[in-house]
Amino acid sequence: MADSDFPGSRLEAPLTNPVSVSWQSPSNIAFVKYWGKTGRQLPVNPSLSMTLSKAFTETRLTSLPRETEGTADLDFWFEGKQNSAFGERMKRFLQSITDIFPWLEQVSLKLETHNTFPHSAGIASSASSFSALALCLCSLDTELCGILLDETEFRIKASFIARLGSGSACRSLFPGLTVWGYTKSLTGSSDLFAVPVTEVHPLFKTLRDTILIVNSEEKAVSSSEGHSRMVNHPFAEARIRQAGKNTTDLLEAFKTGDKDSFIRIVENEALTLHALMMTSDNGFMLMYPETVRIISRIKELRRETGLDICFTLDAGPNVHLIYFEEQSEQVAKLIVEDIFKNIKQNTRIDDFCGSGPVKLS
Ligand code: DP6
């Protein structure tokens, strides 16, 4: 499949009335990390994530009549306020996909969006924001140009569009566990869009993620900058091989219900991600002393208590504590009585494996 497999349509007659659609779409947490890209936002390795439930974005996109055609025209509102910084990124994105949605040059757009998680929580909002926007664009395509797709085609197209906005966003389109990037271990997997993992032991449908907030300030180095540091990274080749193997092994663990392999791979991916940052040209470090203390303590607690807990990290200092629902009461106790002793602020967000985006109107 290529971009041309989504032939774009123009409006046959100028729009006379506003048309609005709205979607809710979740964030996701990667177990195998997407780190490095090429071409038109294609990943250099497969990645695998869990769609979250409580951390989501709600987006309303309204197309309005416009007198003259031109570059994408966007009025962007974030949490009730006109926001220019993120609005500019969204505008650049819309401008870049006028080949897929030519009608973007024939209407004005108003985009209103808000997140259920606090902006300061340190949760990457690009996955939920771009997946919600991609869904709205595909719904408007149906409303304005009569493009009709079945449910599966619609989600795949939305995933394709979300990828062009932010790579990790394409994995938020499906419930549960999702793979983005071609791997011979999953039929139908592609670099162009994500696909859901269907062979999953019931245990892995009960995964939970408690985000322990170490620091909520903006990161010193953005993900986009981090991806670009992979271009001439001395360990790039080995990393790409490792991510492929970790994806294959993790898919097998999901099938068989192998918790030990799951824990080993998830922690290996988190530490590899940060090791790649540190060993890149002009290396950088996003972990804080508290991050290191917490992840060391999680490993010790796993040995001491026998609980199936592990950690993962995004491109930032906050720790995602991953565990299973059946042990959630014991884990909640550990967080309050032990793990929180390692952080100044006791802020956490309890989330779990979610069921994917929801159309609101
Ligand atoms: C470390 O998807 O935020 O979270 O494609 O440039 O928008 P862009 O990058 P982004 O990168 C996410 C990187 C990561 C790992 C992951 O989610 O797989």
Side-chain angles (χ1 to χ4, degrees), residues 139-209:
S139 285
L140 268 189
D141 207 28
T142 307
E143 300 277 333
L144 300 178
C145 304
I147 302 295
L148 281 177
L149 301 172
D150 69 27
E151 185 53 29
T152 309
E153 289 167 340
F154 183 87
R155 288 287 162 125
I156 285 184
K157 181 168 179 181
S159 177
F160 180 100
I161 303 295
R163 176 198 108 231
L164 297 172
S166 177
S168 55
C170 76
R171 297 185 311 236
S172 282
L173 275 295
F174 304 96
L177 301 160
T178 307
V179 165
W180 170 38
Y182 173 74
T183 161
K184 60 179 180 342
S185 310
L186 188 65
T187 311
S189 58
S190 168
D191 286 349
L192 299 174
F193 48 81
V195 290
V197 180
T198 49
E199 281 187 89
V200 181
H201 187 282
L203 185 71
F204 285 108
K205 295 181 178 161
T206 69
L207 276 170
R208 305 191 71 100
D209 173 12

Side-chain angles (χ1 to χ4, degrees), residues 61 64 73-77 82 91 108-112:
L61 185 63
L64 301 147
D73 176 35
L74 179 70
D75 182 17
F76 179 72
W77 292 75
Q82 248 167 341
K91 202 169 170 173
S108 288
L109 288 172
K110 181 172 184 191
L111 179 61
E112 296 156 280

Side-chain angles (χ1 to χ4, degrees), residues 1-169:
M1 187 189 278
D3 296 3
S4 54
D5 288 347
F6 294 119
S9 295
R10 286 177 52 83
L11 300 183
E12 282 174 14
L15 197 63
T16 47
N17 290 310
V19 181
S20 272
V21 292
S22 84
W23 279 89
Q24 166 186 311
S25 190
S27 187
N28 67 72
I29 177 69
F31 293 142
V32 176
K33 308 293 180 181
Y34 146 54
W35 201 239
K37 52 175 146 177
T38 179
R40 194 174 179 184
Q41 194 98 311
L42 298 167
V44 295
N45 63 265
S47 59
L48 194 161
S49 66
M50 173 170 86
T51 297
L52 293 174
S53 181
K54 294 202 298 199
F56 60 80
T57 296
E58 274 182 9
T59 294
R60 166 173 294 277
L61 185 63
T62 307
S63 57
L64 301 147
R66 169 169 174 177
E67 305 223 320
T68 48
E69 290 192 21
T71 56
D73 176 35
L74 179 70
D75 182 17
F76 179 72
W77 292 75
F78 179 66
E79 300 190 337
K81 292 195 195 104
Q82 248 167 341
N83 177 312
S84 59
F86 202 47
E88 275 310 307
R89 181 169 173 191
M90 292 281 183
K91 202 169 170 173
R92 276 199 308 277
F93 164 60
L94 292 173
Q95 198 50 53
S96 75
I97 54 168
T98 49
D99 55 335
I100 305 171
F101 299 119
W103 51 263
L104 284 172
E105 294 181 334
Q106 298 176 280
V107 301
S108 288
L109 288 172
K110 181 172 184 191
L111 179 61
E112 296 156 280
T113 181
H114 67 266
N115 298 335
T116 51
F117 44 95
H119 186 53
S120 56
I123 300 182
S125 61
S126 68
S128 54
S129 306
F130 278 101
S131 55
L133 175 57
L135 284 158
C136 287
L137 286 165
C138 292
S139 285
L140 268 189
D141 207 28
T142 307
E143 300 277 333
L144 300 178
C145 304
I147 302 295
L148 281 177
L149 301 172
D150 69 27
E151 185 53 29
T152 309
E153 289 167 340
F154 183 87
R155 288 287 162 125
I156 285 184
K157 181 168 179 181
S159 177
F160 180 100
I161 303 295
R163 176 198 108 231
L164 297 172
S166 177
S168 55

